[in-house]
Amino acid sequence: MRTSLRFITGGYKAVGTWQQSTFLSPLSTQLSVSRSSSAVCKEERSYYITAPIFYVNASPHVGHLYSVILADCMHRYKLLRGFKSKFATGTDEHGLKIQQAADAAGQEPMAFCTGVSHKFRRLFSRCDVTFTDYIRTTEERHRRAVEHFWCTLRDKGLIYKGSYEGWYSTPDESFLTQTQVADAVDGTGQAIKVSLESGHKVEWLKEENYMFRLSAFRTQLLEWLQKTPGAIQPERFLQDVIKWLQDDLPDLSVSRQRSRLQWGIPVPGDPEHSVYVWLDALVNYLTVAGYPNDHDHWWSVAHHIVGKDILKFHAIYWPSFLLGAGLAPPRSIHVHSHWTVNGTKMSKSLGNVVDPFERSLAFTTDGLRYFLLRQGVPDSDCDYTDHKVTKLLNAELADSLGGLLNRCTAPALNPTQTYPSFCPFSFPNERDGRAVPEDYHMLDAVQKLPTVVERHYESLHIYKGLEAIASCVRQTNGFVQRHTPWKLNRMDAGDRRWLDTIVHVSLECLRIYGTLLQPVVPRVADKLLSRLGVRANERNLNDLDFLPSYRGKACPFPGRMLGPDTGVLFNRLESPTGDQQKTKNIRKQIISRHL
Ligand code: MSP
């Protein structure tokens, strides 16, 4: 059958025609196979989110933590919405660069991998990353899944023995075409070729190995992208993928000769070859879903989070492998940009990594989580400095949010340490009480906040959700400041009702903020909600009802004792001498070089 496809999303123009081979079934059949009606029913309340699995050739840095915290935030958010949620991450342990790193460390590959894998795991536990599965590609269950996946592709005629000749980047474990490399010189002045995308050195490779018929999938990939709005988010990354699909899409080498790569999964039936590490790594998402036996349920609700450097592997190779194996592509791929230091991508080879263990000690784990999710913008890179972290956390967590909680729960304003009542005459629906127009604007903003935050969290624009919360917190502080409740006369019945109303409204605002902040800063949110006396079963996001008394509805809180005072919500941080000290040291070094 000869098919031609016109892709209209985002202004994409016509693409060439494609000869559909008999070994490929139509995309629509494959989508419906995996998303059968029973799966659709179950998937309503199920969600499966994955973070990338991390290379173990180096220790974790703040960029890695960001990838995994985004996924953790989504997992927690879905649980709070009543979903059954699965969240997987882990370590990517095969490949030449891991083999070389183990050699350099003088260790057996397995012992080396175990050491670094545990380091990642310890960091994630320390930062309250609540994965439900931590997968290592060296596990037996994963080997079985890769073997089964390989045999499925092979049996469908999608893998053939061929001869590969071209460029290969070991640090990226990536094959490159002539147009993807450039001339450069190395540190010793020798002429080399580098990958245009990553800047890593590439080498010429000529090997007999197994090839995957990637070239046959262009039309199906475009069809998938066209039929699945939101398949790749944000939009600018979808456009990148569409551009790549307009370029050459040669068949992909999916094995390496065993003599070159011993540290990998042997190709089923041909132990002279090892499975290409990206094919091996990507299958981890299926392994966790239960592949090859029982994966339908979780696979039908799978969403990936990936950094922009690994988009091509996830948006082109992976869906092609899946379609080839008769499985649906993931529901969505959420792409994020990078953390940089002085404008340069943080990476071990550049020696500019920020240590997340150290920073979580300095700023607390919630502090670090809040900073990364509040400042990390999916669409563009963000520069990391300790100074920015301190400034942001002091302003938003310590002063604004912490200050509001402290004011409204302090014995001076709240001598009985209870949740006070709301007086509808002081703050009526019609504006003839003691509230002023700005107060109504504030109520309106907080009333809408859960919906606004939901929209941003759902699209993984966590920073926008946090921006909206921070803006409401500022408005609530403005509300308290405007009415100076500490100046009201508690002996006067009218003043007392108004004072109670101000505190009631402020605590209601705080309850909404605390509930919405749970996926991002679980400890701070718990401390806040516990101080307000909000019980565990009152913290989910489905029935978040702000200020019901204002709408004449019953509110369970008035008269309830506040929770114990366990200290300030978030301690102010010292000004970041670290950065200044580093700058001073660099200045000193420069000066001494010139003396
Ligand atoms: N092992 C592969 C992923 C395989 S997934 C089937 C890999 N590993 S990695 O350790 O190099 O990167 C893991 C994740 O960390 C990627 O999403 C990558 O984009 C992210 N980051 C690595 N450096 C980063 C920054 N400087 N900033 C933000 N994220 C960064 O790729």
Side-chain angles (χ1 to χ4, degrees), residues 553-590:
K553 283 170 63 188
C555 177
F557 298 105
R560 192 187 283 186
M561 283 303 289
L562 294 183
D565 180 1
T566 53
V568 291
L569 186 67
F570 191 86
N571 279 308
R572 271 189 75 78
L573 298 157
E574 292 296 314
S575 59
T577 47
D579 281 354
Q580 289 158 7
Q581 195 55 48
K582 258 188 218 150
T583 317
K584 272 188 208 153
N585 289 344
I586 292 168
R587 256 193 233 129
K588 259 193 222 157
Q589 284 171 13
I590 295 170

Side-chain angles (χ1 to χ4, degrees), residues 51-57 61-67 92 97 120 278 281-285 305-310 314 336-340 345-347:
I53 50 171
F54 298 88
Y55 286 133
V56 289
N57 61 322
H61 60 61
V62 155
H64 298 135
L65 183 64
Y66 176 59
S67 251
D92 188 354
K97 70 171 167 185
F120 273 93
W278 267 102
L282 288 161
V283 171
N284 94 83
Y285 302 133
I305 289 182
V306 302
K308 64 180 182 182
D309 54 323
I310 56 173
H314 283 81
H336 66 75
S337 296
H338 288 147
W339 283 92
T340 58
K345 185 188 170 194
M346 199 182 292
S347 82

Side-chain angles (χ1 to χ4, degrees), residues 526-538:
D526 175 53
K527 191 166 184 176
L528 190 160
L529 294 170
S530 300
R531 178 72 174 118
L532 300 186
V534 179
R535 298 176 187 135
N537 63 354
E538 294 166 334

Side-chain angles (χ1 to χ4, degrees), residues 80-102:
L80 288 163
R81 294 216 65 109
F83 279 70
K84 239 170 89 188
S85 178
K86 197 183 211 17
F87 162 28
T89 187
T91 41
D92 188 354
E93 305 187 4
H94 290 130
L96 201 54
K97 70 171 167 185
I98 311 294
Q99 194 175 302
Q100 288 166 351

